[in-house]
Amino acid sequence: MMLQNDARVTVVRTRGRLLATVQSDLSGAVLTELKRQLLGSLAEGDCAGIVVDVSALDLIDGHEFKGLRSVLSIAGVMGCPAAICGLSPGVVSSLIDLDVDIRRLVATLSVDDAMASLDHLSAAAS
Amino acid sequence: MRLRVATDADLSRLLFLTHGSCARVGLSRGQTIQVATAVSELGHNIMKYAGSGFIQVRALADPVGVEIIADDTGPGIENCDDALRDHFSTGGTLGLGLPGVRRMMDSFEIDSRPGVGTRVAARKYL
Amino acid sequence: MLNTVQSDTVSTTDARQAEILRSRYEITDGDLERVRVAGTAVIPQLSSVVADFYVWLESRPEFPLFFSDPDNLARVQGLQSGVWMTFFGADLSADYVGERRRIGQIHANIGVSLSLYLAGMEQWLQLFVSRVNSDAPGADRNAIVAAVTKMMYVDVDIVINTYLENTNAVLSAQSDSLMRMSTPVTSIWDRILMLPIVGLIDSKRAKDIMSSMLRKIADTQSRIVIVDISGVAIVDTAVANHLLKMTRATRLMGCECIISGLSPEIAETIVDLGIDVGDIRTTANLRDALKYAFEAVGISLKEMP
């Protein structure tokens, strides 16, 4: 079931979780939109997890990555585990060269793997 | 043999010769690895901070062992005491590795003057 | 390999090199002035000095290799006059260093051996000294000869360094191609990759390994990559950094990197260097790494009856 549609960010509720797909980039405007859609849904309660799919992105700079991390951290503070999926080799290489902070970040290649990771996290937490 | 160290190829060649010197002197595998690691560490420092420099590895007779002398005309170290303390770094992740080199070798001397250069002498005895 | 483009960084290095050479050979302004004075004695006779040099050079076995062509010979002799006129101008600047480097590069490129070059320089020096002794102002002769000698050392220093850099560049290119022949990342089971590393890891190689590893992870959707370093001769802080970067990168692709093959000796140097292995999973041998990997992807191994 599609919740909201914006050319830049699409959020879908699936398997009890929110799947946000970023289409274009992680600019300030996109991050704001992401926050609005995701965190807004979280505020209404009943969310077992968030997955942000960035597989459409060829490029993520350090600043954008930090922004994305902070959205996930906010979700975490609101009690919702989160994962990123779809970081490509090229994007990963640059982020590593930039020495970004990846502590406590759950990252996977595919959406399925991300969902599975969130299952593990929920199981561990309970 | 006092070899110029400016590129990775220089260092590779030097390490090869170092293994030879250690074998001739009769050092154990473990001791050889320590000497070679020290040479590699000092060589990387030279390349990183001074661009190029020289490393000499020679056999000692009385007592039997191997001596490494690394010198460069690079920026020098402001404060050797700081540099010899663990986890002190001005230029990157794991610091100059000097405390490590000192731990691995049996004797260690460093003479460094800012603006002039640095000289490290270290020995490993059989 | 032959760098003919004069960039800003190159001239800064040349300027710095000029400073270093000045202090290394203790060349004073007085020395430079004396070299110019020597020039007043030598330059008027330069063509005969050059002719004398070639009498010597012809006696060398290598001579036919370089000068079988008389036009070539005439051209080179002309160039050499120019080189020595600059020498006696005694201007130890960045430009001078740059020009000497290019000369050294040319000698190296056409295959003049270092020993031939050095023998030649000794010959030039002898010829200059004899001219100075017969024709320069009497009072100062010894000091003039000393100054000219020092400046010759400067030229030799620059050319030797150029030769060394040349050799290094060749070796570097060779070792590059050797390293590119390294082992590919192999899929050893569904979602388990393995990469044995042998020899020395430098930054170029680490970069190559990283990119092929990440590509393979994406292609195979692997969950575990085992990097076996039992064949790695040395782990110093630089190598440890490369390995650390690998484990971080694979994590971002949902893949755990296990470093296997840590011998007691290597483990000891890692501890001595103060490197904190942290959360990185490490094993002493490949077997332990495989065991963990299979468990992690949900496979259990049973012995057959």
Side-chain angles (χ1 to χ4, degrees):
Chain A
M1 181 181 73
M2 184 108 59
L3 285 180
Q4 298 185 57
N5 196 3
D6 179 290
R8 299 158 299 180
V9 176
T10 316
V11 181
V12 178
R13 180 178 285 276
T14 169
R15 294 182 252 174
R17 299 193 175 96
L18 293 175
L19 170 61
T21 310
V22 179
Q23 315 283 16
S24 56
D25 57 53
L26 281 169
S27 61
V30 172
L31 283 169
T32 307
E33 184 57 26
L34 190 63
K35 255 192 253 183
R36 193 180 70 77
Q37 294 195 32
L38 280 180
L39 303 182
S41 299
L42 281 191
E44 286 162 28
D46 188 27
C47 171
I50 291 179
V51 174
V52 180
D53 180 355
V54 296
S55 52
L57 302 182
D58 293 325
L59 199 65
I60 302 178
D61 71 26
H63 186 70
E64 291 168 341
F65 187 77
K66 254 173 131 180
L68 179 56
R69 280 219 69 175
S70 87
V71 175
L72 300 184
S73 298
I74 297 170
V77 170
M78 293 170 74
C80 182
I84 292 180
C85 73
L87 288 164
S88 68
V91 170
V92 167
S93 287
S94 345
L95 290 175
I96 290 299
D97 283 338
L98 290 169
D99 204 16
V100 293
D101 182 0
I102 62 170
R103 287 173 299 179
R104 288 180 301 277
L105 181 66
V106 177
T108 67
L109 277 180
S110 69
V111 172
D112 283 340
D113 283 343
M115 294 288 177
S117 297
L118 292 181
D119 285 336
H120 285 317
L121 284 176
S122 314
S126 50
Chain B
M1 258 236 119
R2 185 167 172 264
L3 287 186
R4 185 162 180 265
V5 175
T7 65
D8 285 317
D10 291 336
L11 199 49
S12 300
R13 214 176 333 134
L14 181 59
L15 289 168
F16 180 72
L17 294 171
T18 302
H19 274 97
S21 299
C22 292
R24 272 196 300 278
V25 158
L27 294 181
S28 71
R29 175 179 145 83
Q31 289 174 316
T32 303
I33 287 179
Q34 286 180 315
V35 171
T37 306
V39 169
S40 185
E41 198 66 34
L42 293 170
H44 277 119
N45 280 357
I46 287 178
M47 290 194 287
K48 188 171 179 190
Y49 296 99
S52 75
F54 291 88
I55 295 185
Q56 179 183 31
V57 177
R58 61 193 194 113
L60 300 170
D62 183 29
V64 177
V66 167
E67 179 178 52
I68 306 168
I69 300 181
D71 64 87
D72 65 68
T73 52
I77 301 169
E78 277 286 341
N79 190 331
C80 280
D81 288 329
D82 275 344
L84 285 170
R85 233 182 294 134
D86 282 307
H87 305 305
F88 183 83
S89 167
T90 52
T93 339
L94 287 169
L96 287 171
L98 289 178
V101 171
R102 187 166 62 170
R103 267 192 291 271
M104 285 189 295
M105 302 294 281
D106 296 326
S107 81
F108 178 93
E109 287 146 28
I110 179 166
D111 180 15
S112 184
R113 259 163 287 168
V116 178
T118 306
R119 185 176 188 276
V120 172
R123 298 176 175 199
K124 176 68 104 183
Y125 299 112
L126 186 57
Chain C
M1 236 167 27
L2 173 60
N3 183 3
T4 52
V5 175
Q6 187 78 350
S7 66
D8 277 342
T9 41
V10 174
S11 39
T12 323
T13 322
D14 283 347
R16 179 156 157 72
Q17 191 62 16
E19 293 289 311
I20 292 173
L21 289 164
R22 240 191 178 209
S23 81
R24 182 178 297 161
Y25 296 103
E26 291 168 339
I27 295 178
T28 63
D29 286 336
D31 286 327
L32 294 176
E33 185 48 43
R34 283 180 209 107
V35 172
R36 278 174 223 126
V37 168
T40 61
V42 174
I43 289 177
Q45 317 176 42
L46 199 48
S47 39
S48 92
V49 173
V50 171
D52 285 346
F53 177 78
Y54 277 87
V55 166
W56 170 83
L57 190 58
E58 267 172 36
S59 69
R60 300 280 309 200
E62 302 97 325
F63 183 77
L65 280 174
F66 300 111
F67 295 116
S68 45
D69 175 4
D71 286 337
N72 195 29
L73 181 57
R75 194 177 55 87
V76 171
Q77 284 172 328
L79 287 173
Q80 267 167 338
S81 295
V83 166
W84 293 119
M85 304 242 300
T86 317
F87 177 87
F88 288 105
D91 176 26
L92 190 43
S93 63
D95 283 341
Y96 186 82
V97 172
E99 200 198 302
R100 260 40 190 177
R101 262 194 312 104
R102 279 185 290 279
I103 292 170
Q105 190 72 67
I106 291 168
H107 279 85
N109 283 346
I110 65 177
V112 173
S113 72
L114 204 49
S115 64
L116 176 60
Y117 169 76
L118 290 172
M121 286 303 265
E122 208 190 288
Q123 194 61 29
W124 285 114
L125 183 59
Q126 277 181 33
L127 292 169
F128 293 148
V129 166
S130 75
R131 293 313 194 274
V132 164
N133 280 334
S134 54
D135 300 312
D140 226 3
R141 267 183 212 153
N142 287 336
I144 292 177
V145 167
V148 170
T149 309
K150 283 201 274 189
M151 275 301 280
M152 291 289 272
Y153 285 155
V154 166
D155 272 23
V156 165
D157 192 302
I158 297 172
V159 169
I160 289 185
N161 263 318
T162 310
Y163 267 79
L164 282 174
E165 276 161 17
N166 221 42
T167 319
N168 281 337
V170 170
L171 284 174
S172 203
Q174 284 174 344
S175 78
D176 263 359
S177 43
L178 273 177
M179 282 174 182
R180 229 161 271 150
M181 295 175 356
S182 49
T183 354
V185 183
T186 322
S187 196
I188 58 172
W189 200 262
D190 292 338
R191 314 195 84 178
I192 303 178
L193 295 175
M194 189 177 91
L195 169 63
I197 307 182
V198 174
L200 298 167
I201 308 176
D202 64 20
S203 24
K204 176 101 205 312
R205 194 170 175 206
K207 225 168 128 186
D208 290 341
I209 290 176
M210 176 91 102
S211 60
S212 58
M213 191 172 64
L214 295 182
R215 234 177 307 122
K216 193 79 181 191
I217 292 174
D219 290 343
T220 59
Q221 303 267 306
S222 289
R223 293 269 315 284
I224 308 261
V225 59
I226 301 173
V227 175
D228 185 78
I229 62 168
S230 48
V232 170
I234 286 167
V235 176
D236 61 7
T237 52
V239 171
N241 269 327
H242 293 313
L243 293 173
L244 189 64
K245 276 172 86 163
M246 279 181 221
T247 63
R248 286 159 52 83
T250 61
R251 243 197 82 191
L252 283 178
M253 297 186 77
C255 178
E256 184 180 359
C257 181
I258 305 173
I259 311 281
S260 72
L262 275 98
S263 67
E265 293 89 357
I266 295 282
E268 188 175 344
T269 59
I270 290 177
V271 168
D272 279 341
L273 287 170
I275 296 168
D276 180 17
V277 155
D279 308 314
I280 305 175
R281 189 170 297 274
T282 54
T283 69
N285 54 46
L286 192 48
R287 199 165 151 279
D288 291 341
L290 281 172
K291 205 151 157 260
Y292 173 79
F294 282 126
E295 274 169 21
V297 301
I299 294 177
S300 73
L301 298 169
K302 275 196 344 215
E303 262 196 43
M304 305 223 301

